Amino acid sequence: MLPDFNRLKVFYYVFSHSSVAGAAKELNITSSAVSQALNKLEDELNVALFTRLHKKIVPTLAGEELFRIVLPFI
């Protein structure tokens, strides 16, 4: 089953901004909605896409690979 495109779009903006808050502002949704979308995407793919540090989000290798795949489509 393919992941939801809207969740991939959220992932793209989080990766691009290196920030949940920055992605939320760009997408005009709440930070909570962004976090929920990321969690659902990670559950769907069964892989961690980001390492969450205090006030910082760092992409994992799987996150970097997914970004390269998604980039041409967004």
Side-chain angles (χ1 to χ4, degrees):
M1 182 176 191
L2 293 174
D4 181 76
F5 182 74
N6 289 323
R7 291 186 193 121
L8 291 172
K9 185 171 146 184
V10 168
F11 163 78
Y12 169 84
Y13 281 103
V14 171
F15 190 101
S16 296
H17 289 279
S18 298
S19 164
V20 169
K25 186 175 180 180
E26 181 83 21
L27 293 165
N28 201 29
I29 59 176
T30 65
S31 293
S32 177
V34 170
S35 292
Q36 288 176 19
L38 277 182
N39 288 333
K40 287 180 182 178
L41 181 61
E42 288 178 327
D43 287 345
E44 286 176 353
L45 299 176
N46 198 31
V47 67
L49 299 171
F50 295 97
T51 301
R52 289 147 178 94
L53 306 171
H54 181 72
K55 297 284 182 178
K56 191 173 182 182
I57 191 164
V58 179
T60 62
L61 290 176
E64 290 176 6
E65 185 177 332
L66 181 60
F67 184 76
R68 283 191 295 273
I69 293 168
V70 169
L71 184 61
F73 299 101
I74 298 180

